[in-house]
Amino acid sequence: MNKWKIAFWIIVTLNITVLVGVCYLLLSESSPEEPYNTTQVELETNLDNVQLFVDTSTTSAENVINEYITDKMKDNPIKYRVIFNSSSIEIAGIVPVLDTHIPFTLAFTPKIDENGTLLLSYKSVRLGKFKLPVTTVFTYMNDYYRLPEWVIVQPDEKQIQIVFQDIKIAGHSYKVQLTEFDLLNDSIVFALNR
C-alpha cells in the first residue's frame, strides 16, 4: 500500500472520530453535578427607569399602520391607507359617492416635536382631480372618521398630531415617544419609557 492511501485513511478515520465525538457531546443529555434550582436565583429588577428603543424601516411601519387601519376601520365606508414617500406621508383612499367611488389623497410633511409627537403638516388635499380647502377636509375628518384618541386633527392649524405618549400598550404604563422619523434614510425610531 502506498503512503498516500495510508495518509488518506488516517485522515478519514480522524474526521469520522471527531464527527462522532462532536455528535455525542451535542446529543447526549447533560447531568450537571448541581441541579438548577430556580428558587435559589434572585433577580433584582428596577422597572422605574426602563427605556427600550425600537428601530424600524418605513416599509415595516407602513405595513403595521395599514394593518391597524384595516382592522379598526373595517365597518367604515371610507377606505384608506397610509403611504410613506421619501419626503412626505400620504393618506390615499376612496370615498363612496352615490354609485361610484372617488379617490382622494392627503399629503403631509412630517416632523417631530420636543415631546416625541408626530406633527403632520398639510401639503396638499385632492378629491378626484379637485384640490380642496384643507380646513373643510380636516373638519370632515373630525366629524365623520372614527380616529383613535391619540390622533388629533387640528383644522385651524392645518395639521394632524399623532400623540404617541397617549397610546396604551396592553394595559401597561409604558409611554411611547417618537425619537427619529427619517423617511429619506428609511429609519423610524421609537422609545418605550416606563
Side-chain angles (χ1 to χ4, degrees):
M1 199 178 229
N2 83 28
K3 63 181 178 180
W4 292 111
K5 282 185 181 180
I6 293 171
F8 171 77
W9 286 112
I10 290 173
I11 291 173
V12 168
T13 305
L14 282 171
N15 283 338
I16 290 174
T17 305
V18 169
L19 183 63
V20 168
V22 169
C23 287
Y24 173 75
L25 291 173
L26 289 175
L27 299 176
S28 67
E29 290 186 32
S30 61
S31 55
E33 294 176 14
E34 294 182 29
Y36 180 71
N37 187 348
T38 57
T39 58
Q40 293 177 352
V41 177
E42 291 182 27
L43 296 176
E44 184 178 322
T45 58
N46 180 4
L47 295 178
D48 294 335
N49 254 344
V50 173
Q51 188 171 39
L52 173 70
F53 288 94
V54 178
D55 188 352
T56 188
S57 69
T58 55
T59 304
S60 295
E62 184 179 302
N63 290 338
V64 168
I65 291 167
N66 286 323
E67 184 176 319
Y68 177 85
I69 290 170
T70 301
D71 183 51
K72 295 294 182 186
M73 303 295 284
K74 58 184 153 203
D75 297 331
N76 193 342
I78 300 171
K79 304 296 180 202
Y80 64 95
R81 60 188 313 258
V82 172
I83 302 164
F84 291 165
N85 295 322
S86 61
S87 64
S88 66
I89 296 176
E90 290 183 0
I91 299 174
I94 54 170
V95 176
V97 177
L98 300 175
D99 285 339
T100 187
H101 294 349
I102 300 174
F104 70 88
T105 305
L106 289 87
F108 301 96
T109 303
K111 81 175 187 185
I112 305 171
D113 73 3
E114 64 278 352
N115 297 321
T117 298
L118 181 62
L119 303 174
L120 301 176
S121 299
Y122 158 78
K123 191 173 179 181
S124 69
V125 176
R126 290 185 146 319
L127 180 63
K129 294 184 179 187
F130 298 102
K131 287 188 177 181
L132 297 176
V134 68
T135 52
T136 304
V137 173
F138 280 9
T139 303
Y140 181 84
M141 286 175 69
N142 263 340
D143 293 343
Y144 296 105
Y145 278 41
R146 286 176 289 159
L147 298 171
E149 65 273 0
W150 41 270
V151 175
I152 301 168
V153 179
Q154 299 173 313
D156 294 335
E157 287 83 8
K158 298 180 181 180
Q159 73 178 6
I160 297 175
Q161 286 187 359
I162 301 177
V163 186
F164 290 98
Q165 299 89 332
D166 292 346
I167 296 175
K168 303 283 186 264
I169 300 178
H172 295 285
S173 60
Y174 289 102
K175 298 230 185 289
V176 180
Q177 183 178 13
L178 189 61
T179 59
E180 181 181 333
F181 198 86
D182 188 351
L183 294 174
L184 191 60
N185 293 314
D186 193 31
S187 179
I188 299 172
V189 180
F190 292 93
L192 297 174
N193 302 304
R194 185 155 185 170

